[in-house]
Amino acid sequence: MERTFLAVKPDGVQRGLVGNIIGRFESKGFQLVGLKLVQVSRELAEKHYGEHKERPFFPGLVNFITSAPVVAMVWEGKGVIASARKIIGVTNPLNAENGTIRGDFGVDVGRNIIHGSDAPDTAEREIALWFTPAELCNWQPSI
Ligand code: CMP
């Protein structure tokens, strides 16, 4: 079954949005299979955002993601990677549709509440970077 990596960033945690955000993925019908609060190291941040290394916002992005705890999650379900991206909204919250997480809660591209893997290969890489296999639970709803 398909899996994706999601992380509520420091701004989402500090604004008390974790419950609301988890609720949206639960209500949609996806299964939470991994969950932890992480004080992100610079090493993890630089690996996670490695593709943006040459971008001018990279130092600020690493500083921000390491500044306070992040809620790291793995979600499972049919089409979860693309569906989660729709639930999250586009990168810049100012352009995100109302009803999406970023559209409802943000105005600043550098404070866009949540990260979600953008494709199957990225999801696989990010899950392996943030979680050990033992930290993930295999389960299916029985109802
Ligand atoms: P995320 O989905 O976590 O992936 C890369 C992040 O870089 C993105 O969300 C934004 O938070 C951040 N980002 C992208 N563009 C900019 C920008 N122009 N200025 C600051 N941060 C940016």
Side-chain angles (χ1 to χ4, degrees):
M1 183 59 83
E2 187 171 301
R3 288 180 170 180
T4 196
F5 171 76
L6 305 180
V8 183
K9 298 182 185 184
D11 50 338
V13 176
Q14 291 181 17
R15 290 174 57 193
L17 299 175
V18 172
N20 180 300
I21 289 170
I22 288 177
R24 293 180 186 223
F25 295 98
E26 284 185 322
S27 311
K28 178 69 178 170
F30 295 125
Q31 280 78 56
L32 185 59
V33 297
L35 174 69
K36 60 184 176 181
L37 190 67
V38 183
Q39 179 65 59
V40 180
S41 66
R42 295 194 76 80
E43 184 188 3
L44 175 57
E46 287 172 4
K47 278 187 186 160
H48 175 76
Y49 282 127
E51 66 176 300
H52 300 298
K53 204 164 48 192
E54 307 304 328
R55 308 290 288 276
F57 59 80
F58 182 73
L61 181 58
V62 170
N63 284 341
F64 177 60
I65 208 78
T66 57
S67 67
V70 160
V71 173
M73 301 178 281
V74 178
W75 286 86
E76 181 175 289
K78 192 160 64 174
V80 69
I81 298 170
S83 180
R85 298 278 293 181
K86 280 192 198 157
I87 291 168
I88 289 169
V90 297
T91 303
N92 188 337
L94 271 187
N95 300 328
E97 298 286 339
N98 291 341
T100 66
I101 293 168
R102 288 170 174 163
D104 287 351
F105 297 131
V107 291
D108 182 347
V109 71
R111 299 288 184 274
N112 64 356
I113 317 288
I114 181 169
H115 168 85
S117 305
D118 62 4
D121 56 333
T122 324
E124 196 178 335
R125 183 182 78 81
E126 292 176 349
I127 291 168
L129 184 62
W130 287 77
F131 286 88
T132 65
E135 289 175 320
L136 301 176
C137 295
N138 294 306
W139 70 282
Q140 287 298 318
S142 54
I143 51 168

